[in-house]
């Protein structure tokens, strides 16, 4: 008896497909990785990190000034209409500023950061509007327009509808 020498064509054999599956999977995974990298470009959180490092003493002084003035702020969020209200208190007799700046900073995505000037409504109450916030952790900074003091804190949107900001310990 003679064995059959007739063979099937290559694409009907399982082995070529099995061997090609590995490189094909790597090419698809590489394409997905490139797409994700382009779509979610984070950039640098701080472009001038060196200058910020040199200016750390000024930042420490702002925290000390806030502590000396006995400043505390209660920030209340209304996530439904994107409004924010700040109740600012001071132990000092110095008058409170007419406007303050609230910075809402995302820890990793600088493009999501916001800064809004809040107008005083009297009695240490300030109101303003923000753009919608993504869910998650946010860093908050409150300062006067002249940047002589600052209060810091953090919140988790939309869970935290009320946050207290205090001077950072030095």
């Amino acid at each position: 008896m003679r064995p059959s020498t007739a063979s099937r064509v290559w694409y009907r054999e399982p082995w070529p497909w099995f061997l090609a599956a590995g490189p094909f999977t790597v090419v698809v995974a590489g394409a997905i990785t490139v797409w994700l990298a382009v779509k979610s470009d984070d950039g640098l959180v701080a472009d001038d990190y060196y200058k910020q490092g040199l200016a750390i003493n000024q930042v420490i002084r702002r925290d000390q000034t806030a502590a000396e003035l006995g400043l505390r702020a209660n920030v209340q969020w209304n996530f439904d209409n994107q409004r924010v209200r700040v109740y600012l208190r001071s132990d000092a007799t110095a008058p409170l500023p007419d406007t303050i700046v609230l910075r809402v900073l995302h820890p990793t995505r600088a493009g999501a950061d916001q800064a809004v000037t809040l107008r005083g409504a009297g009695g240490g109450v300030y109101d303003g509007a923000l753009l919608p916030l993504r869910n998650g952790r946010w860093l908050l900074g409150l300062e006067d327009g002249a940047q002589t003091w600052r209060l810091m804190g953090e919140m988790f949107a939309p869970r935290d509808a009320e946050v207290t900001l205090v001077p950072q310990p030095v």
Side-chain angles (χ1 to χ4, degrees), residues 94-130:
L96 295 174
D98 294 332
T99 60
I100 56 176
V101 177
L102 176 65
R103 297 187 191 284
V104 183
L105 310 169
H106 195 275
T108 59
R109 299 192 183 264
D113 294 352
Q114 297 183 46
V116 61
T117 301
L118 304 175
R119 307 270 177 237
V125 178
Y126 299 84
D127 289 310
L130 290 170

Side-chain angles (χ1 to χ4, degrees), residues 34-108:
V34 167
W35 178 77
L36 286 172
V38 170
K39 183 171 177 13
S40 65
D41 178 28
D42 296 337
L44 290 174
V45 174
D47 294 342
D48 57 349
Y49 60 90
Y50 183 72
K51 287 182 183 178
Q52 288 182 3
L54 293 175
I56 192 67
N57 291 332
Q58 294 172 351
V59 172
I60 291 172
R61 182 67 195 139
R62 291 170 59 198
D63 293 333
Q64 290 173 340
T65 302
E68 290 167 3
L69 293 173
L71 291 171
R72 294 180 62 83
N74 188 357
V75 182
Q76 294 180 349
W77 302 91
N78 185 337
F79 291 107
D80 294 332
N81 64 5
Q82 304 306 322
R83 301 289 301 173
V84 63
R85 176 170 280 177
V86 174
Y87 297 93
L88 183 64
R89 297 183 310 273
S90 173
D91 294 341
T93 57
L96 295 174
D98 294 332
T99 60
I100 56 176
V101 177
L102 176 65
R103 297 187 191 284
V104 183
L105 310 169
H106 195 275
T108 59

